[in-house]
Amino acid sequence: MGKKIFLTLISVSVAIFFWYFVGEKTILKDNSNSFSKLQCVSYAPFGKDESPFLFDSGLIISEDLVRKDLKLLSKYTDCIRTYSTLGLEMIPKIARENNLKMLMGAWVSKDEKQTKGELETLIKLANENADIVKAVIVGNEVLLRGDVSDKKLYEYITQIKEALPNTKVTYADVWEYWVKYPHIKDVTDFVTIHILPYWEDEPMNIHESIEHLASVREEVEGILKTSNILIGETGWPSEGRSREDAMPSKINQALFVRDFVKLAEEKNWNYNIIEAVDQPWKRVSEGAVGGFWGLFDKDRLDKNVFAGDVSNFPNYKYLAFGSILLIILFSLLLKNSEVSTKKLLQFTIINTIFAILYMLQVEQYNIIARNNLEGTWAILLLITQIFVYYFMLSHILKPKRIDVIPSVFFYLSAFFAFILSMNLAFNGRYENFEIYGFIILAISFLWLYSTQYEKLNFGKFEKALSLVLVLSSILIVYNETFLNIFSNIWVIIALIFAYILNKGTKNIGLCDLKQVSIYTLIFVAIFVAFKTGFVSNKELAIACNLDSNSLSCSIKDFMGASIYFGYVGLISIIFAIIAFVINKKSFSIIALFLSIGSLILSNTFLGAISFIIAIYLLTKEDIKNLQ
């Protein structure tokens, strides 16, 4: 008993040391020679449960919220940048009360009526508030989105210049689009470029980001032959998924802003930081990372970006408590067990590692789960992981038990891994690497099944899933490169599940999947051609912005809306369920067709579930035969 208590205390001590180290020691120290005030900061006046998409549902911006926000921001900056005018007409008045200047923006989109309203309101507000409006910005990343042509944008900017002859006028876009459309400079008073090293096509890590930014600004200055440049957006996210070796974190955000402002002051650059407050609504279109660019969090709490010590785990004490609780609770399994020293060491090591990993996963879900669906996903996974955690420790204590874990937990874990792999392979830019809890699952099943593969008796269904997991892993590596450590870990996890699924199907060869493979390849080719040649065709998008009355443009708009709102995935899952009920091969083939379409058209979550159902239906006869 003394040995068990001693090793449990060692386990607790290791957990305490780990969390203390990452929470208190691995931090960014205060930089007292930082800066007094930022030049300008992007501001969106939305509460944590609000978004601009709610205006059509009657959203009215809270004047009290704006007043509190601008009073807070006035301590850190002399200027705010806005992106729209409609519904935000009270902002100039409140900005003046807090001695704030404005870079006033108007939202330009493919909706001509809405754009007209934005521009008319911009002219009105700029005329009424000339004393605080430093400049007006006609459109934000319009050319990047392909909402209007460069010719139409030129006309909009000209219209505003003629209406506001005494106000500086500019347009804001990612720097590449200024290089692509340099003639826009001819109708602006200065150039406004966005340089976001994290979002670059070739992402920059935090250590190269400032140098990259300086290089880009110099390049644009040389190409456009002007030094009259405003860096209209730059910053770094505090949370979210890594892109290659560009890693979001609280420390990296503070490091970027502090280093950038220091360089900007040395170079006498004009700049605007994105953004004032975290905007959870952006996570819908940009993934979890989109909601964490603020200098303040969604509750308006300071992230210490400006000054002060910064930790990536400021709540490490709660996480440490969770790990300690798990270690102690699972150590109760030792109470009446007679185990060797070797088994006791194995138990202690696994219990310690899993307790830390589990709390890391809890923390990640606490950050990234933004709605009921994602909350449900997180809860289901955490429940599965805690049960597998328990069964793993039980197996160490009683290794002779053959039925140490119900097979339902393996299938659930494999399906979860498959769904996430599909998300990362086909919509990876906005998906997170949920590696911590899956490390628990991968280690556990690899250990538990290491001598039982011949007893698994898997069939074509499992063989097909293993093959797709391997192929999706190749696609993930291609998308992320080997620079992304989180991607590399996920690929190893996926390949472990693929290995187990494959080892349990030793009597099934790839030739046995010939028919399903042919269907899959044909459907993939159809939807890849459809996506690249039609849905994502930028030339067609620009043509449709000029003339949207054609049939092809109507179909494109319909498909765009169906993809954005998830209708493609919804249709695929409904048809997969119908196919499951009707139980006819023709319906199963159609279900496979729709599921592949859903995956390739980025409705990956429901598409992956539909694909699992379709593959099961097309291989179920073999499952029956095995049973």
Side-chain angles (χ1 to χ4, degrees), residues 5 16 48 105 122 169 220 254 263 266 297 369 441 493 497 506 517 544 606:
I5 293 173
I16 291 172
K48 59 185 177 182
L122 178 71
V169 179
V220 173
L263 180 62
E266 290 175 0
D297 71 15
L441 299 176
I493 291 168
F497 277 100
K506 64 179 182 179
S517 299
C544 289
L606 293 179

mmCIF file with all atom_site columns, all heavy atoms in Angstrom, residues 5 16 48 105 122 169 220 254 263 266 297 369 441 493 497 506 517 544 606:
data_model
loop_
_atom_site.group_PDB
_atom_site.id
_atom_site.type_symbol
_atom_site.label_atom_id
_atom_site.label_alt_id
_atom_site.label_comp_id
_atom_site.label_asym_id
_atom_site.label_entity_id
_atom_site.label_seq_id
_atom_site.pdbx_PDB_ins_code
_atom_site.Cartn_x
_atom_site.Cartn_y
_atom_site.Cartn_z
_atom_site.occupancy
_atom_site.B_iso_or_equiv
_atom_site.pdbx_formal_charge
_atom_site.auth_seq_id
_atom_site.auth_comp_id
_atom_site.auth_asym_id
_atom_site.auth_atom_id
_atom_site.pdbx_PDB_model_num
ATOM 1   N N   . ILE A 1 5   ? 0.689   4.512   -2.622  1.00 0.00 ? 5   ILE A N   1
ATOM 2   C CA  . ILE A 1 5   ? 0.502   5.900   -2.191  1.00 0.00 ? 5   ILE A CA  1
ATOM 3   C C   . ILE A 1 5   ? 1.664   6.769   -2.660  1.00 0.00 ? 5   ILE A C   1
ATOM 4   O O   . ILE A 1 5   ? 1.468   7.899   -3.146  1.00 0.00 ? 5   ILE A O   1
ATOM 5   C CB  . ILE A 1 5   ? 0.363   5.968   -0.649  1.00 0.00 ? 5   ILE A CB  1
ATOM 6   C CG1 . ILE A 1 5   ? -0.931  5.280   -0.216  1.00 0.00 ? 5   ILE A CG1 1
ATOM 7   C CG2 . ILE A 1 5   ? 0.375   7.420   -0.176  1.00 0.00 ? 5   ILE A CG2 1
ATOM 8   C CD1 . ILE A 1 5   ? -1.086  5.152   1.297   1.00 0.00 ? 5   ILE A CD1 1
ATOM 9   N N   . ILE A 1 16  ? 1.272   18.712  -11.033 1.00 0.00 ? 16  ILE A N   1
ATOM 10  C CA  . ILE A 1 16  ? 1.399   20.069  -10.486 1.00 0.00 ? 16  ILE A CA  1
ATOM 11  C C   . ILE A 1 16  ? 2.559   20.797  -11.148 1.00 0.00 ? 16  ILE A C   1
ATOM 12  O O   . ILE A 1 16  ? 2.432   21.968  -11.558 1.00 0.00 ? 16  ILE A O   1
ATOM 13  C CB  . ILE A 1 16  ? 1.605   20.016  -8.956  1.00 0.00 ? 16  ILE A CB  1
ATOM 14  C CG1 . ILE A 1 16  ? 0.328   19.545  -8.264  1.00 0.00 ? 16  ILE A CG1 1
ATOM 15  C CG2 . ILE A 1 16  ? 2.017   21.389  -8.423  1.00 0.00 ? 16  ILE A CG2 1
ATOM 16  C CD1 . ILE A 1 16  ? 0.495   19.286  -6.773  1.00 0.00 ? 16  ILE A CD1 1
ATOM 17  N N   . LYS A 1 48  ? -20.939 39.621  -27.282 1.00 0.00 ? 48  LYS A N   1
ATOM 18  C CA  . LYS A 1 48  ? -20.407 38.281  -27.535 1.00 0.00 ? 48  LYS A CA  1
ATOM 19  C C   . LYS A 1 48  ? -21.411 37.344  -28.197 1.00 0.00 ? 48  LYS A C   1
ATOM 20  O O   . LYS A 1 48  ? -21.016 36.337  -28.782 1.00 0.00 ? 48  LYS A O   1
ATOM 21  C CB  . LYS A 1 48  ? -19.887 37.670  -26.238 1.00 0.00 ? 48  LYS A CB  1
ATOM 22  C CG  . LYS A 1 48  ? -20.914 37.537  -25.126 1.00 0.00 ? 48  LYS A CG  1
ATOM 23  C CD  . LYS A 1 48  ? -20.260 37.028  -23.850 1.00 0.00 ? 48  LYS A CD  1
ATOM 24  C CE  . LYS A 1 48  ? -21.240 36.953  -22.709 1.00 0.00 ? 48  LYS A CE  1
ATOM 25  N NZ  . LYS A 1 48  ? -20.587 36.507  -21.450 1.00 0.00 ? 48  LYS A NZ  1
ATOM 26  N N   . GLY A 1 105 ? -15.435 53.299  -42.350 1.00 0.00 ? 105 GLY A N   1
ATOM 27  C CA  . GLY A 1 105 ? -15.576 52.396  -43.482 1.00 0.00 ? 105 GLY A CA  1
ATOM 28  C C   . GLY A 1 105 ? -17.009 52.200  -43.926 1.00 0.00 ? 105 GLY A C   1
ATOM 29  O O   . GLY A 1 105 ? -17.943 52.298  -43.126 1.00 0.00 ? 105 GLY A O   1
ATOM 30  N N   . LEU A 1 122 ? -22.375 56.775  -45.525 1.00 0.00 ? 122 LEU A N   1
ATOM 31  C CA  . LEU A 1 122 ? -20.982 57.190  -45.353 1.00 0.00 ? 122 LEU A CA  1
ATOM 32  C C   . LEU A 1 122 ? -20.814 58.670  -45.666 1.00 0.00 ? 122 LEU A C   1
ATOM 33  O O   . LEU A 1 122 ? -20.178 59.415  -44.906 1.00 0.00 ? 122 LEU A O   1
ATOM 34  C CB  . LEU A 1 122 ? -20.077 56.350  -46.259 1.00 0.00 ? 122 LEU A CB  1
ATOM 35  C CG  . LEU A 1 122 ? -18.581 56.710  -46.233 1.00 0.00 ? 122 LEU A CG  1
ATOM 36  C CD1 . LEU A 1 122 ? -17.964 56.301  -44.904 1.00 0.00 ? 122 LEU A CD1 1
ATOM 37  C CD2 . LEU A 1 122 ? -17.840 56.054  -47.396 1.00 0.00 ? 122 LEU A CD2 1
ATOM 38  N N   . VAL A 1 169 ? -9.822  59.666  -49.068 1.00 0.00 ? 169 VAL A N   1
ATOM 39  C CA  . VAL A 1 169 ? -10.569 58.462  -49.445 1.00 0.00 ? 169 VAL A CA  1
ATOM 40  C C   . VAL A 1 169 ? -9.576  57.355  -49.801 1.00 0.00 ? 169 VAL A C   1
ATOM 41  O O   . VAL A 1 169 ? -8.584  57.581  -50.499 1.00 0.00 ? 169 VAL A O   1
ATOM 42  C CB  . VAL A 1 169 ? -11.500 58.739  -50.646 1.00 0.00 ? 169 VAL A CB  1
ATOM 43  C CG1 . VAL A 1 169 ? -12.249 57.466  -51.033 1.00 0.00 ? 169 VAL A CG1 1
ATOM 44  C CG2 . VAL A 1 169 ? -12.473 59.860  -50.321 1.00 0.00 ? 169 VAL A CG2 1
ATOM 45  N N   . VAL A 1 220 ? 5.422   46.368  -51.689 1.00 0.00 ? 220 VAL A N   1
ATOM 46  C CA  . VAL A 1 220 ? 4.258   47.109  -52.180 1.00 0.00 ? 220 VAL A CA  1
ATOM 47  C C   . VAL A 1 220 ? 4.636   48.558  -52.486 1.00 0.00 ? 220 VAL A C   1
ATOM 48  O O   . VAL A 1 220 ? 4.211   49.127  -53.500 1.00 0.00 ? 220 VAL A O   1
ATOM 49  C CB  . VAL A 1 220 ? 3.107   47.055  -51.150 1.00 0.00 ? 220 VAL A CB  1
ATOM 50  C CG1 . VAL A 1 220 ? 1.961   47.958  -51.586 1.00 0.00 ? 220 VAL A CG1 1
ATOM 51  C CG2 . VAL A 1 220 ? 2.622   45.625  -50.969 1.00 0.00 ? 220 VAL A CG2 1
ATOM 52  N N   . ALA A 1 254 ? 0.732   38.847  -28.091 1.00 0.00 ? 254 ALA A N   1
ATOM 53  C CA  . ALA A 1 254 ? 1.382   39.966  -27.397 1.00 0.00 ? 254 ALA A CA  1
ATOM 54  C C   . ALA A 1 254 ? 2.755   40.252  -27.997 1.00 0.00 ? 254 ALA A C   1
ATOM 55  O O   . ALA A 1 254 ? 3.138   41.414  -28.199 1.00 0.00 ? 254 ALA A O   1
ATOM 56  C CB  . ALA A 1 254 ? 1.507   39.656  -25.912 1.00 0.00 ? 254 ALA A CB  1
ATOM 57  N N   . LEU A 1 263 ? 8.555   48.538  -34.204 1.00 0.00 ? 263 LEU A N   1
ATOM 58  C CA  . LEU A 1 263 ? 9.121   48.731  -35.537 1.00 0.00 ? 263 LEU A CA  1
ATOM 59  C C   . LEU A 1 263 ? 8.394   49.850  -36.284 1.00 0.00 ? 263 LEU A C   1
ATOM 60  O O   . LEU A 1 263 ? 9.033   50.679  -36.950 1.00 0.00 ? 263 LEU A O   1
ATOM 61  C CB  . LEU A 1 263 ? 9.035   47.429  -36.333 1.00 0.00 ? 263 LEU A CB  1
ATOM 62  C CG  . LEU A 1 263 ? 9.589   47.474  -37.765 1.00 0.00 ? 263 LEU A CG  1
ATOM 63  C CD1 . LEU A 1 263 ? 11.081  47.785  -37.757 1.00 0.00 ? 263 LEU A CD1 1
ATOM 64  C CD2 . LEU A 1 263 ? 9.319   46.158  -38.493 1.00 0.00 ? 263 LEU A CD2 1
ATOM 65  N N   . GLU A 1 266 ? 9.600   53.141  -35.169 1.00 0.00 ? 266 GLU A N   1
ATOM 66  C CA  . GLU A 1 266 ? 10.943  53.395  -35.695 1.00 0.00 ? 266 GLU A CA  1
ATOM 67  C C   . GLU A 1 266 ? 10.898  53.810  -37.160 1.00 0.00 ? 266 GLU A C   1
ATOM 68  O O   . GLU A 1 266 ? 11.640  54.708  -37.597 1.00 0.00 ? 266 GLU A O   1
ATOM 69  C CB  . GLU A 1 266 ? 11.814  52.142  -35.547 1.00 0.00 ? 266 GLU A CB  1
ATOM 70  C CG  . GLU A 1 266 ? 12.190  51.799  -34.117 1.00 0.00 ? 266 GLU A CG  1
ATOM 71  C CD  . GLU A 1 266 ? 12.941  50.478  -34.036 1.00 0.00 ? 266 GLU A CD  1
ATOM 72  O OE1 . GLU A 1 266 ? 13.159  49.856  -35.108 1.00 0.00 ? 266 GLU A OE1 1
ATOM 73  O OE2 . GLU A 1 266 ? 13.292  50.060  -32.915 1.00 0.00 ? 266 GLU A OE2 1
ATOM 74  N N   . ASP A 1 297 ? -10.820 40.356  -24.663 1.00 0.00 ? 297 ASP A N   1
ATOM 75  C CA  . ASP A 1 297 ? -11.637 39.191  -24.973 1.00 0.00 ? 297 ASP A CA  1
ATOM 76  C C   . ASP A 1 297 ? -13.107 39.590  -25.135 1.00 0.00 ? 297 ASP A C   1
ATOM 77  O O   . ASP A 1 297 ? -13.462 40.762  -25.036 1.00 0.00 ? 297 ASP A O   1
ATOM 78  C CB  . ASP A 1 297 ? -11.441 38.084  -23.944 1.00 0.00 ? 297 ASP A CB  1
ATOM 79  C CG  . ASP A 1 297 ? -12.044 38.389  -22.578 1.00 0.00 ? 297 ASP A CG  1
ATOM 80  O OD1 . ASP A 1 297 ? -12.869 39.325  -22.467 1.00 0.00 ? 297 ASP A OD1 1
ATOM 81  O OD2 . ASP A 1 297 ? -11.695 37.676  -21.618 1.00 0.00 ? 297 ASP A OD2 1
ATOM 82  N N   . ALA A 1 369 ? -15.472 25.352  -28.750 1.00 0.00 ? 369 ALA A N   1
ATOM 83  C CA  . ALA A 1 369 ? -16.888 24.988  -28.929 1.00 0.00 ? 369 ALA A CA  1
ATOM 84  C C   . ALA A 1 369 ? -17.733 26.251  -28.885 1.00 0.00 ? 369 ALA A C   1
ATOM 85  O O   . ALA A 1 369 ? -17.803 26.925  -27.854 1.00 0.00 ? 369 ALA A O   1
ATOM 86  C CB  . ALA A 1 369 ? -17.321 24.007  -27.850 1.00 0.00 ? 369 ALA A CB  1
ATOM 87  N N   . LEU A 1 441 ? -7.075  8.011   -26.837 1.00 0.00 ? 441 LEU A N   1
ATOM 88  C CA  . LEU A 1 441 ? -7.768  6.929   -27.543 1.00 0.00 ? 441 LEU A CA  1
ATOM 89  C C   . LEU A 1 441 ? -6.794  6.077   -28.358 1.00 0.00 ? 441 LEU A C   1
ATOM 90  O O   . LEU A 1 441 ? -6.862  4.842   -28.326 1.00 0.00 ? 441 LEU A O   1
ATOM 91  C CB  . LEU A 1 441 ? -8.832  7.525   -28.462 1.00 0.00 ? 441 LEU A CB  1
ATOM 92  C CG  . LEU A 1 441 ? -9.948  8.337   -27.785 1.00 0.00 ? 441 LEU A CG  1
ATOM 93  C CD1 . LEU A 1 441 ? -10.872 8.947   -28.832 1.00 0.00 ? 441 LEU A CD1 1
ATOM 94  C CD2 . LEU A 1 441 ? -10.742 7.472   -26.819 1.00 0.00 ? 441 LEU A CD2 1
ATOM 95  N N   . ILE A 1 493 ? -2.147  9.824   -35.304 1.00 0.00 ? 493 ILE A N   1
ATOM 96  C CA  . ILE A 1 493 ? -3.355  9.290   -34.649 1.00 0.00 ? 493 ILE A CA  1
ATOM 97  C C   . ILE A 1 493 ? -4.259  8.600   -35.673 1.00 0.00 ? 493 ILE A C   1
ATOM 98  O O   . ILE A 1 493 ? -4.729  7.474   -35.452 1.00 0.00 ? 493 ILE A O   1
ATOM 99  C CB  . ILE A 1 493 ? -4.122  10.434  -33.946 1.00 0.00 ? 493 ILE A CB  1
ATOM 100 C CG1 . ILE A 1 493 ? -3.331  10.936  -32.740 1.00 0.00 ? 493 ILE A CG1 1
ATOM 101 C CG2 . ILE A 1 493 ? -5.517  9.962   -33.510 1.00 0.00 ? 493 ILE A CG2 1
ATOM 102 C CD1 . ILE A 1 493 ? -3.857  12.228  -32.156 1.00 0.00 ? 493 ILE A CD1 1
ATOM 103 N N   . PHE A 1 497 ? -5.427  4.466   -36.056 1.00 0.00 ? 497 PHE A N   1
ATOM 104 C CA  . PHE A 1 497 ? -6.775  3.906   -36.244 1.00 0.00 ? 497 PHE A CA  1
ATOM 105 C C   . PHE A 1 497 ? -6.857  3.116   -37.549 1.00 0.00 ? 497 PHE A C   1
ATOM 106 O O   . PHE A 1 497 ? -7.480  2.049   -37.603 1.00 0.00 ? 497 PHE A O   1
ATOM 107 C CB  . PHE A 1 497 ? -7.825  5.017   -36.216 1.00 0.00 ? 497 PHE A CB  1
ATOM 108 C CG  . PHE A 1 497 ? -8.238  5.423   -34.832 1.00 0.00 ? 497 PHE A CG  1
ATOM 109 C CD1 . PHE A 1 497 ? -7.713  6.547   -34.235 1.00 0.00 ? 497 PHE A CD1 1
ATOM 110 C CD2 . PHE A 1 497 ? -9.144  4.660   -34.113 1.00 0.00 ? 497 PHE A CD2 1
ATOM 111 C CE1 . PHE A 1 497 ? -8.073  6.920   -32.949 1.00 0.00 ? 497 PHE A CE1 1
ATOM 112 C CE2 . PHE A 1 497 ? -9.520  5.013   -32.826 1.00 0.00 ? 497 PHE A CE2 1
ATOM 113 C CZ  . PHE A 1 497 ? -8.977  6.155   -32.237 1.00 0.00 ? 497 PHE A CZ  1
ATOM 114 N N   . LYS A 1 506 ? -7.611  -8.948  -41.901 1.00 0.00 ? 506 LYS A N   1
ATOM 115 C CA  . LYS A 1 506 ? -6.523  -9.633  -42.606 1.00 0.00 ? 506 LYS A CA  1
ATOM 116 C C   . LYS A 1 506 ? -7.016  -10.536 -43.741 1.00 0.00 ? 506 LYS A C   1
ATOM 117 O O   . LYS A 1 506 ? -6.258  -10.878 -44.647 1.00 0.00 ? 506 LYS A O   1
ATOM 118 C CB  . LYS A 1 506 ? -5.684  -10.434 -41.612 1.00 0.00 ? 506 LYS A CB  1
ATOM 119 C CG  . LYS A 1 506 ? -6.429  -11.568 -40.918 1.00 0.00 ? 506 LYS A CG  1
ATOM 120 C CD  . LYS A 1 506 ? -5.479  -12.310 -39.979 1.00 0.00 ? 506 LYS A CD  1
ATOM 121 C CE  . LYS A 1 506 ? -6.206  -13.486 -39.317 1.00 0.00 ? 506 LYS A CE  1
ATOM 122 N NZ  . LYS A 1 506 ? -5.294  -14.244 -38.427 1.00 0.00 ? 506 LYS A NZ  1
ATOM 123 N N   . SER A 1 517 ? -14.656 1.287   -54.638 1.00 0.00 ? 517 SER A N   1
ATOM 124 C CA  . SER A 1 517 ? -13.575 2.211   -55.007 1.00 0.00 ? 517 SER A CA  1
ATOM 125 C C   . SER A 1 517 ? -13.862 2.898   -56.339 1.00 0.00 ? 517 SER A C   1
ATOM 126 O O   . SER A 1 517 ? -13.605 4.099   -56.494 1.00 0.00 ? 517 SER A O   1
ATOM 127 C CB  . SER A 1 517 ? -12.241 1.469   -55.081 1.00 0.00 ? 517 SER A CB  1
ATOM 128 O OG  . SER A 1 517 ? -11.909 0.897   -53.833 1.00 0.00 ? 517 SER A OG  1
ATOM 129 N N   . CYS A 1 544 ? -20.597 37.197  -62.953 1.00 0.00 ? 544 CYS A N   1
ATOM 130 C CA  . CYS A 1 544 ? -21.938 37.201  -62.365 1.00 0.00 ? 544 CYS A CA  1
ATOM 131 C C   . CYS A 1 544 ? -22.210 38.488  -61.588 1.00 0.00 ? 544 CYS A C   1
ATOM 132 O O   . CYS A 1 544 ? -23.357 38.918  -61.480 1.00 0.00 ? 544 CYS A O   1
ATOM 133 C CB  . CYS A 1 544 ? -22.122 35.987  -61.455 1.00 0.00 ? 544 CYS A CB  1
ATOM 134 S SG  . CYS A 1 544 ? -22.250 34.416  -62.343 1.00 0.00 ? 544 CYS A SG  1
ATOM 135 N N   . LEU A 1 606 ? -21.375 16.666  -41.754 1.00 0.00 ? 606 LEU A N   1
ATOM 136 C CA  . LEU A 1 606 ? -22.485 15.789  -42.127 1.00 0.00 ? 606 LEU A CA  1
ATOM 137 C C   . LEU A 1 606 ? -22.105 14.895  -43.298 1.00 0.00 ? 606 LEU A C   1
ATOM 138 O O   . LEU A 1 606 ? -22.583 13.758  -43.408 1.00 0.00 ? 606 LEU A O   1
ATOM 139 C CB  . LEU A 1 606 ? -23.722 16.623  -42.470 1.00 0.00 ? 606 LEU A CB  1
ATOM 140 C CG  . LEU A 1 606 ? -24.353 17.381  -41.295 1.00 0.00 ? 606 LEU A CG  1
ATOM 141 C CD1 . LEU A 1 606 ? -25.565 18.184  -41.755 1.00 0.00 ? 606 LEU A CD1 1
ATOM 142 C CD2 . LEU A 1 606 ? -24.762 16.423  -40.178 1.00 0.00 ? 606 LEU A CD2 1
#
